[in-house]
Amino acid sequence: MKVLIACEFSGVVRDAFKERGHDAISCDLLPSETEGKHIIGDVLEVIRSESFDLMIAHPPCTHLAVSGAKWFKEKRADGRQQDALRFVQELLDAPIPHIALENPVSVISSYIRKPDQYIQPYQFGHGETKKTGLWLKNLPLLQPTNEVEGRKPVIHMMAPSPNRWRERSRTYQGIAQAMASQWG
């Protein structure tokens, strides 16, 4: 199966699919942190030029996540939120038979549609919380694989730093493995 992992620089999800024998390619504006098939560029251009069986998209949540609601008025006024929502809609409308789009609790629910499900890292072997929505097209709900205790808001409590956004955007390995085994 040919799989596109959109807006991923870490390679975590791409590599989980690759390990299961799929032709997995990641695409981001940033270079990949790991070896593997990776396109640096606009994912919408990649979607227009190649065909895929499955896309898992991780659009930036900077202008969408409700954790930043205090800046929404400014982001709506200058168009950043509308641009981010337009990008999400283009990903969801991509001519790809199977799509999963993930994002934290966000305005996608209000302006596009509610997610098909919410997942938590602690359902996939990580003792942390990070409520994440999944918007699905022709895919089953992601089933928990290893529910564990802990449930600490590590991501939420992360101290400010220049790389905080990078660390907060990573997909947990257990979630990536579940995606690859259940959707691959």
Side-chain angles (χ1 to χ4, degrees):
M1 176 167 35
K2 191 169 179 184
V3 181
L4 174 63
I5 311 302
C7 312
E8 181 191 52
F9 63 85
S10 68
V12 173
V13 179
R14 178 200 63 214
D15 293 346
F17 276 89
K18 183 179 141 201
E19 288 169 11
R20 292 188 149 289
H22 299 286
D23 181 11
I25 302 164
S26 56
C27 179
D28 198 276
L29 297 174
L30 299 172
S32 179
E33 293 179 333
T34 60
E35 293 295 319
K37 289 183 179 180
H38 182 76
I39 299 168
I40 299 172
D42 181 347
V43 70
L44 297 176
E45 291 298 320
V46 173
I47 291 168
R48 288 183 199 109
S49 64
E50 294 186 46
S51 62
F52 297 92
D53 302 302
L54 167 66
M55 174 177 66
I56 299 178
H58 310 275
C61 65
T62 307
H63 306 306
L64 303 170
V66 296
S67 58
K70 69 180 178 179
W71 294 285
F72 279 177
K73 184 176 179 182
E74 175 186 325
K75 291 179 180 196
R76 278 193 291 271
D78 65 18
R80 287 179 288 170
Q81 192 170 76
Q82 292 88 331
D83 289 344
L85 286 164
R86 200 170 8 263
F87 180 61
V88 166
Q89 189 66 64
E90 287 185 73
L91 291 171
L92 290 171
D93 291 342
I96 299 172
H98 306 281
I99 296 174
L101 185 135
E102 71 82 32
N103 227 251
V105 178
S106 70
V107 297
I108 296 170
S109 299
S110 301
Y111 291 98
I112 296 177
R113 69 175 175 90
K114 295 196 180 314
D116 294 285
Q117 79 177 117
Y118 283 106
I119 59 171
Q120 291 275 4
Y122 62 75
Q123 296 173 301
F124 301 90
H126 304 276
E128 302 176 21
T129 60
K130 182 184 177 190
K131 189 175 181 182
T132 302
L134 295 175
W135 288 260
L136 306 173
K137 173 183 168 186
N138 297 323
L139 289 170
L141 298 179
L142 196 63
Q143 298 303 311
T145 56
N146 181 19
E147 192 149 335
V148 298
E149 297 299 319
R151 304 185 186 187
K152 297 176 184 165
V154 174
I155 296 292
H156 178 72
M157 304 305 286
M158 210 175 259
S161 75
N163 288 325
R164 183 176 189 233
W165 67 271
R166 181 183 291 267
E167 298 307 316
R168 288 172 61 110
S169 72
R170 292 182 195 286
T171 301
Y172 287 86
Q173 187 67 43
I175 294 173
Q177 294 296 336
M179 289 175 170
S181 68
Q182 295 176 39
W183 295 339

